[in-house]
Amino acid sequence: MDVARATGQLYVVPTLMAGLTRAYGMLGRLEEAAVVAEEAVEEARLLHSGQQLVFALTQQSLVAGWSGDEESALRHAEEAIESGAASASGGAPWPATRARWR
């Protein structure tokens, strides 16, 4: 991540962080995974990248679920879905997107 930041390739950082989140989660290091997932979401928001945000929120949802926090897991998953729909539709809300493709 340091190399990506130092070379101005910031668009890679949320993906790297999401991958690190997953690695920590698979190793059972859930507290560390939660911290990195939150940072990945923040980085994606700063980049205004819908795709990166969906990926980061998905990892955040998984970590919350693995940690037994079903409420947060569901909230993050719902935000990921909404963000993905808005990103795919150019920012239009999901119902507007569905109507456009009928």
Side-chain angles (χ1 to χ4, degrees):
M1 288 182 281
D2 291 339
V3 172
R5 286 186 173 115
T7 59
Q9 298 178 47
L10 299 177
Y11 62 92
V12 178
V13 173
T15 298
L16 295 173
M17 294 179 102
L20 183 57
T21 297
R22 180 63 148 233
Y24 280 148
M26 300 314 301
L27 292 170
R29 295 166 61 177
L30 298 178
E31 289 180 17
E32 291 163 292
V35 169
V36 176
E38 179 64 31
E39 291 173 4
V41 169
E42 291 174 17
E43 292 278 345
R45 289 188 201 286
L46 289 172
L47 290 172
H48 303 286
S49 173
Q51 181 179 5
Q52 300 285 2
L53 182 58
V54 169
F55 193 41
L57 285 166
T58 299
Q59 298 308 311
Q60 195 173 36
S61 175
L62 288 169
V63 171
W66 294 332
S67 300
D69 187 355
E70 291 88 9
E71 194 172 302
S72 291
L74 182 58
R75 187 177 68 251
H76 297 311
E78 288 172 343
E79 185 179 354
I81 292 167
E82 291 169 10
S83 297
S87 178
S89 67
W94 176 241
T97 303
R98 287 183 50 217
R100 194 172 76 193
W101 294 107
R102 285 190 174 197

